[in-house]
Amino acid sequence: MKVSISLGGSLLTKNQDSQSYIKYANAIRRLKNAGHTMVVVCGGGKLARQYINLSKELGASHKIQDEVGILTTHINALLLISALGKDADSRIHRRGVDVKNHLGERILVGGGHRPGSSTDYRAALFAGAINADLIVNVTDFPGVFDKDPKKYPDAKKIDYLNYEQLEEIVRSRFKQSPGDYGLFDLKAVKYAANKKIPVIIIDGTDPEEIVNAINGKHNGTLISDKKN
Ligand code: UTP
């Protein structure tokens, strides 16, 4: 299977230790060894929040705040590349065309590219560029909820959504501004919908759940044009 993974930066930066990178590298390496073709885009996590806030305090425009965020995603990408060693291509991939041209034996790792979205959009674009079967959005939340779970403790997880339903949820809950592009950003939803690429949103606190998602038995939310 060809898979594009959006790996939430919060998972990589939670403990700010090497083990956090090693455990995701190990899960991704196992998937590669099982024959899957993998592209992984790293988010910025704690680093992004800290530095975007600093730039905001300094009066930076939204464009500069996003650019600060992009640099933090590159730090995480380099750390994941380091943890993957010879299994990864050593470049940080930023554009669909590069991913397409370099797709081969090694795992391709990417980061942010342009202001105005999050790395979710990169993962969607990369999925389009390589004709991926699936996008896996790896977050620290167990999927999509019927209400904002940060505000409503009784919110319930949804197992399946179509693209329009996800778009409505993302629009209503997230501002689409630096550091707040949401659980899967709007441009990414629209791109995946247009290309009809299924998206699975999972809690990847335990990296084993990424393996489960690719093997079709995850506990997250599936977004596609048909329930299966
Ligand atoms: P993330 O992809 O980590 O975004 O990029 P996020 O939605 O804030 O984080 P998660 O998914 O909840 O962990 C960090 C920031 O970098 C900028 C945005 O400001 C984003 O919020 N960015 C990233 C871009 O402007 N363009 C990109 O292509 C990627």
Side-chain angles (χ1 to χ4, degrees):
M1 202 186 251
K2 276 192 223 164
V3 189
S4 179
I5 297 179
S6 178
L7 182 54
S10 54
L11 296 166
L12 295 170
T13 59
K14 199 181 285 172
N15 301 325
Q16 295 189 307
D17 64 357
S18 56
Q19 201 49 44
S20 304
Y21 296 85
I22 291 169
K23 68 180 187 179
Y24 290 99
N26 286 343
I28 293 160
R29 185 182 288 115
R30 267 175 51 215
L31 285 162
K32 173 190 174 274
N33 291 341
H36 299 290
T37 301
M38 318 283 301
V39 177
V40 186
V41 188
C42 296
K46 225 182 242 180
L47 295 175
R49 303 275 169 277
Q50 281 171 356
Y51 285 97
I52 288 174
N53 282 340
L54 267 177
S55 66
K56 204 188 265 179
E57 280 173 33
L58 294 167
S61 63
H62 274 192
K63 183 166 178 279
I64 290 182
Q65 290 178 40
D66 275 340
E67 278 168 355
V68 166
I70 290 168
L71 291 176
T72 67
T73 70
H74 291 188
I75 293 175
N76 278 334
L78 286 175
L79 294 176
L80 187 69
I81 287 169
S82 307
L84 284 164
K86 64 175 176 35
D87 290 308
D89 186 299
S90 60
R91 288 165 281 215
I92 303 171
H93 291 273
R94 303 176 63 145
R95 301 185 312 156
V97 64
D98 301 329
V99 165
K100 195 174 165 189
N101 291 340
H102 295 123
L103 199 65
E105 282 297 292
R106 294 192 167 167
I107 297 158
L108 301 185
V109 179
H113 185 40
R114 290 215 175 102
S117 69
S118 76
T119 44
D120 297 337
Y121 182 44
R122 280 296 113 196
L125 287 173
F126 292 175
I130 65 165
N131 255 325
D133 304 285
L134 181 65
I135 298 168
V136 182
N137 186 28
V138 188
T139 70
D140 55 3
F141 255 82
V144 185
F145 285 69
D146 59 350
K147 296 186 262 188
D148 185 346
K150 286 184 179 148
K151 290 189 197 148
Y152 304 96
D154 64 334
K156 289 192 184 62
K157 198 199 78 194
I158 306 166
D159 293 332
Y160 170 78
L161 288 167
N162 63 34
Y163 297 106
E164 292 74 27
Q165 289 168 318
L166 179 64
E167 185 175 332
E168 182 48 39
I169 289 174
V170 173
R171 265 187 205 288
S172 64
R173 291 187 201 162
F174 306 99
K175 282 193 268 185
Q176 304 298 305
S177 59
D180 192 21
Y181 288 101
L183 58 95
F184 194 63
D185 79 53
L186 206 51
K187 286 185 182 170
V189 181
K190 287 183 177 175
Y191 187 87
N194 189 21
K195 298 272 178 186
K196 296 196 189 325
I197 308 168
V199 181
I200 295 175
I201 301 182
I202 52 165
D203 178 358
T205 306
D206 177 357
E208 200 55 33
E209 184 68 354
I210 306 176
V211 179
N212 293 340
I214 289 164
N215 292 329
K217 38 176 200 215
H218 59 91
N219 291 308
T221 302
L222 167 70
I223 301 99
S224 68
D225 58 354
K226 56 181 186 309
K227 200 171 183 173
N228 52 9

